[in-house]
Amino acid sequence: MYRRIGEDGASAMAFGRILRREFYQRPTVDVARDLLGKVLVHGPSAGVIVETEAYLGGDDRASHSARGITDRTRVIFGPPGHAYVYFVYGMYECLNIVAEPAGQPGCVLVRALEPVAGIEIMQRRRPRAHRLEDLTSGPGKLTLAMDITRSHNGADLTHGPLVVREPAKPRRVEIDVTPRIGIRECADWPLRFVVRGNRFVSGAKVSLRTGL
């Protein structure tokens, strides 16, 4: 049930089981909220997910799936629990996790992590991050720090080196909700979810709605 991951020779940390496909085979908003507090693991590096955004099908013009099925978006329409990684601004890669049953588009952008393992490795990958709070506090930052690239597009997150795990011990997560960041279409939709009070989240921290 537990896998121990070393932190550059420091004491190892224990995480719970890998999330099963059934976790992702649900409405995108539910998956986005429930990913908060889970642990993204890639090799020796790991971080607690503290910020997500939901991108829906249908009328959500901010979602890449609004363009329909293309070579780029095909993974979004496929089985849940796979990675959708895309290039943005000509310099950053962003990790999304496919939600909803196969054939129905929906994905969750992982926007920020709280680093918990492999921190020295992540710092070497992002030498310009002088504070721990800046290491993975954004979707482009965390993929650099975690060494997640477009080669992981379509990767199955239910097994292999890139997975999402339960925390070692369940903990109650309080959630703040805001509009999504950095988009033009449907910019007022309250589909950004952050762990309340967490110092590793990106962008504006003021919430419009709160909930558990």
Side-chain angles (χ1 to χ4, degrees):
M1 179 176 179
Y2 292 93
R3 179 187 180 193
R4 299 184 69 80
I5 299 177
E7 186 176 345
D8 303 322
S11 59
M13 299 188 65
F15 303 125
R17 66 172 178 83
I18 296 173
L19 300 185
R20 299 186 176 93
R21 199 168 314 282
E22 291 77 13
F23 176 91
Y24 305 105
Q25 196 168 343
R26 300 182 295 142
T28 306
V29 170
D30 293 346
V31 175
R33 293 177 67 96
D34 291 346
L35 278 170
L36 297 178
K38 304 300 190 290
V39 186
L40 180 68
V41 180
H42 185 213
S45 304
V48 176
I49 299 172
V50 297
E51 180 180 355
T52 61
E53 284 181 345
Y55 287 85
L56 315 177
D59 296 330
D60 187 358
R61 298 185 304 279
S63 175
H64 292 177
S65 66
R67 303 176 180 89
I69 299 177
T70 66
D71 288 343
R72 183 190 193 193
T73 64
R74 193 175 308 278
V75 65
I76 302 176
F77 291 84
H82 286 72
Y84 170 51
V85 183
Y86 63 85
F87 199 50
V88 65
Y89 303 136
M91 58 191 305
Y92 297 118
E93 286 157 311
C94 297
L95 170 66
N96 297 257
I97 302 176
V98 177
E100 306 281 352
Q104 183 172 334
C107 62
V108 177
L109 173 64
V110 181
R111 281 201 58 94
L113 305 174
E114 178 177 336
V116 294
I119 293 173
E120 291 183 8
I121 295 174
M122 288 192 275
Q123 289 173 328
R124 288 197 293 270
R125 293 169 179 157
R126 291 207 63 242
R128 294 184 180 181
H130 301 298
R131 301 188 311 150
L132 185 61
E133 290 85 352
D134 296 329
L135 190 58
T136 53
S137 58
K141 296 178 182 179
L142 73 87
T143 52
L144 286 170
M146 296 283 288
D147 193 28
I148 297 170
T149 69
R150 278 168 289 174
S151 67
H152 295 99
N153 187 49
D156 191 339
L157 302 185
T158 65
H159 63 87
L162 178 61
V163 296
V164 182
R165 291 180 172 269
E166 295 280 3
K169 296 180 180 179
R171 63 177 182 178
R172 184 170 179 266
V173 175
E174 294 186 331
I175 300 173
D176 284 348
V177 185
T178 83
R180 293 173 296 193
I181 296 175
I183 58 174
R184 296 180 180 178
E185 301 286 350
C186 304
D188 59 337
W189 291 18
L191 294 175
R192 173 176 173 253
F193 308 98
V194 303
V195 174
R196 183 177 302 164
N198 189 279
R199 73 183 193 274
F200 294 94
V201 304
S202 70
K205 299 176 176 62
V206 179
S207 66
L208 296 183
R209 291 189 315 189
T210 59
L212 299 179

